[in-house]
Amino acid sequence: MADTTLMSIPGQVDPVPVARDITPRADGRIDLMGLPKSRIRELFAEAGLDAKQAKLRSKQVFHWIYHRGASEFSAMTDISKTMRPWLEERFVIARPQVVEAQHSTDGTRKWLLRTADGHDFEMVFIPDADRGTLCVSSQVGCTLNCRFCHTGTMKLVRNLTPGEIVGQVMLARDALGEWPKGKMDFSDDADESEYRADGRLLTNIVMMGMGEPLYNFENVRDALNLVMDGEGLALSKRRITLSTSGVVPMMERCGEEIGVNLAVSLHAVTKEIRDEIVPLNKKYGIEELLEACAAYPGASNARRITFEYVMLKDKNDSDEHARELVRLIRDYKLPAKVNLIPFNPWPGSQYECSSPERIKAFSNIVFEGGISAPVRTPRGRDIDAACGQLKTAAEKKSRAQRDREAAEAAVAQ
């Protein structure tokens, strides 16, 4: 059973994230996952290493964790055999537990993951011809209650820690088998001819999984800084997109302190409709949101803001809505594109997906207005991995049932 309670979020109140870079463990060891090199160095010094040793070992361990994907100190071959047991007694490199892994017929993969304190969340990998995108969660559950989103029907349990966020990227690279292989050396004159990084399958990250990233800003920032660190996972900020439903006060900080691409879950162009389907609009209205988009640091024609727009039949999909969308983007002089998302129906939802013809007509109007408006192809629907469908059904399955399904899948391969 999970041993933390639900976060109490009464009404339209911003959740206050409780920063914690280390999750306490029952065995007393300290988990290094999610920690920057400077913090690892501090912990090594506190554990008894002198300043010079702490600096060297932290550099080595950081490299092995984030660049080589090591999860055991025994794999760190440039650290002396006598030092490795010392590290193992005091520290650990943990990943979130994989409860279940599913593979869609279209190649999409979804993982059900579990935190050390027993809470479940999900991540999704979407392969395409020219890229592979990992959809990463930032919270267990969500507090926004967007009416069209299945994930939004979950209660917010807690924020994910930096380790639990970056751990999703580590797990994906584990599963894809794309960690660098070969020898390594920290000396300045090291021969790098035997050290290579194979072509990456995971090329892009989107913070579009469970939760609102800007309601867990510090932890998301710290995790993405590790992902972007040139000595770590080394993924360019241009290949990372953070999606928000419109937490206006945090948007400028996001641009300044993280600097990744911005996506905004707009979904409607009038106050009445957006108040209904994205309740956060009652707190931060469309005009205030678009002003924050116009001021977003780094936004340009080369780095456009993406507006996500789910297509709901007879709700937000008329020609008038399309023309108003064009007007808003032009009036606020936004370097933007629009992603049109066919609605993914789920049991209990009150909405239907717009027809293909209506979506095409909407897209054409926006294109004619000089704004790119591609229609997103739904992916992973057969495993409930499509946009808005990350709502774990783990509680509906017993451990025996999951083990049985895993055994059947192994036999089928």
Side-chain angles (χ1 to χ4, degrees):
M1 291 291 292
D3 58 11
T4 54
T5 58
L6 296 178
M7 294 176 71
S8 177
I9 311 295
Q12 294 295 320
V13 178
D14 291 350
V16 179
V18 179
R20 52 172 179 166
D21 63 348
I22 300 172
T23 302
R25 290 174 55 88
D27 63 9
R29 293 188 294 171
I30 297 175
D31 187 1
L32 299 181
M33 179 60 67
L35 303 185
K37 191 186 305 174
S38 59
R39 185 73 175 107
I40 295 174
R41 182 174 67 247
E42 290 174 0
L43 290 170
F44 285 0
E46 291 171 8
L49 295 183
D50 62 41
K52 184 176 180 181
Q53 276 289 307
K55 182 178 180 180
L56 172 63
R57 298 309 180 195
S58 63
K59 183 175 182 180
Q60 292 172 312
V61 169
F62 182 91
H63 180 91
W64 276 104
I65 293 174
Y66 298 115
H67 196 74
R68 306 283 293 215
S71 57
E72 300 289 343
F73 295 107
S74 59
M76 302 179 183
T77 53
D78 63 327
I79 295 178
S80 68
K81 291 183 178 180
T82 56
M83 174 60 68
R84 292 178 219 168
W86 184 89
L87 290 168
E88 289 169 359
E89 288 173 10
R90 294 163 175 79
F91 304 100
V92 65
I93 307 163
R95 304 273 206 273
Q97 176 190 352
V98 177
V99 178
E100 187 173 11
Q102 294 177 281
H103 206 144
S104 170
T105 55
D106 64 18
T108 300
R109 300 188 188 190
K110 183 176 78 169
W111 290 267
L112 172 63
L113 307 177
R114 181 164 293 157
T115 65
D117 57 353
H119 297 296
D120 294 342
F121 62 102
E122 295 178 339
M123 70 173 185
V124 173
F125 177 71
I126 306 166
D128 283 305
D130 60 343
R131 70 178 63 191
T133 302
L134 185 68
C135 183
V136 174
S137 292
S138 57
Q139 296 179 308
V140 181
C142 188
T143 187
L144 294 179
N145 301 314
C146 296
R147 298 286 291 277
F148 60 88
C149 179
H150 201 196
T151 312
T153 64
M154 298 180 66
K155 293 191 177 193
L156 178 63
V157 177
R158 69 165 173 82
N159 292 326
L160 292 176
T161 65
E164 290 161 346
I165 295 170
V166 76
Q168 296 171 65
V169 185
M170 311 291 278
L171 279 172
R173 295 200 72 185
D174 289 346
L176 296 170
E178 60 173 3
W179 290 107
K181 305 172 182 67
K183 295 182 180 179
M184 50 83 70
D185 191 329
F186 280 102
S187 62
D188 293 335
D189 57 351
D191 179 8
E192 297 182 354
S193 62
E194 293 186 80
Y195 178 50
R196 67 188 188 281
D198 294 341
R200 287 187 172 182
L201 296 173
L202 196 168
T203 63
N204 294 68
I205 289 174
V206 292
M207 296 300 304
M208 297 182 184
M210 288 180 172
E212 165 56 62
L214 295 188
Y215 275 160
N216 187 18
F217 177 78
E218 286 82 4
N219 289 350
V220 168
R221 175 198 60 202
D222 294 350
L224 290 183
N225 282 336
L226 290 171
V227 171
M228 295 183 290
D229 193 308
E231 297 180 15
L233 287 156
L235 195 64
S236 167
K237 65 182 180 181
R238 295 181 181 274
R239 290 187 174 273
I240 301 174
T241 299
L242 183 146
S243 177
T244 179
S245 290
V247 184
V248 169
M250 301 303 298
M251 289 171 60
E252 184 176 2
R253 281 189 68 188
C254 177
E256 291 177 345
E257 297 181 32
I258 308 178
V260 295
N261 302 316
L262 181 70
V264 174
S265 297
L266 188 62
H267 305 308
V269 293
T270 69
K271 172 176 170 51
E272 179 185 15
I273 297 174
R274 196 164 193 268
D275 279 355
E276 174 190 335
I277 64 178
V278 185
L280 187 64
N281 195 69
K282 298 174 185 176
K283 186 166 188 175
Y284 308 115
I286 293 176
E287 293 78 11
E288 189 177 359
L289 173 59
L290 295 180
E291 287 172 0
C293 289
Y296 186 73
S300 65
N301 287 328
R303 296 187 65 196
R304 294 174 293 174
I305 293 171
T306 299
F307 288 106
E308 309 284 351
Y309 199 99
V310 66
M311 299 299 295
L312 303 173
K313 181 180 179 181
D314 300 329
K315 176 59 66 175
N316 64 352
D317 63 350
S318 69
D319 289 354
E320 290 74 18
H321 292 138
R323 285 190 280 269
E324 177 64 4
L325 178 58
V326 172
R327 185 193 72 79
L328 287 170
I329 292 174
R330 284 179 169 177
D331 282 1
Y332 285 89
K333 299 180 174 59
L334 297 172
K337 68 175 181 178
V338 179
N339 269 351
L340 300 179
I341 306 169
F343 174 60
N344 298 302
W346 43 271
S349 171
Q350 66 187 69
Y351 302 110
E352 297 179 38
C353 182
S354 306
S355 69
E357 295 76 21
R358 180 92 294 273
I359 296 175
K360 183 175 172 50
F362 192 103
S363 175
N364 287 341
I365 291 172
V366 180
F367 267 117
E368 288 166 5
I371 300 162
S372 176
V375 179
R376 182 184 294 174
T377 302
R379 300 290 299 272
R381 278 183 164 174
D382 56 321
I383 57 172
D384 291 334
C387 185
Q389 289 186 335
L390 286 189
K391 176 177 167 61
T392 174
E395 65 276 9
K396 298 179 182 178
K397 294 184 180 182
S398 67
R399 170 64 66 181
Q401 182 180 353
R402 287 197 297 271
D403 290 346
R404 200 162 47 243
E405 290 176 355
E408 291 171 355
V411 172
Q413 291 178 351

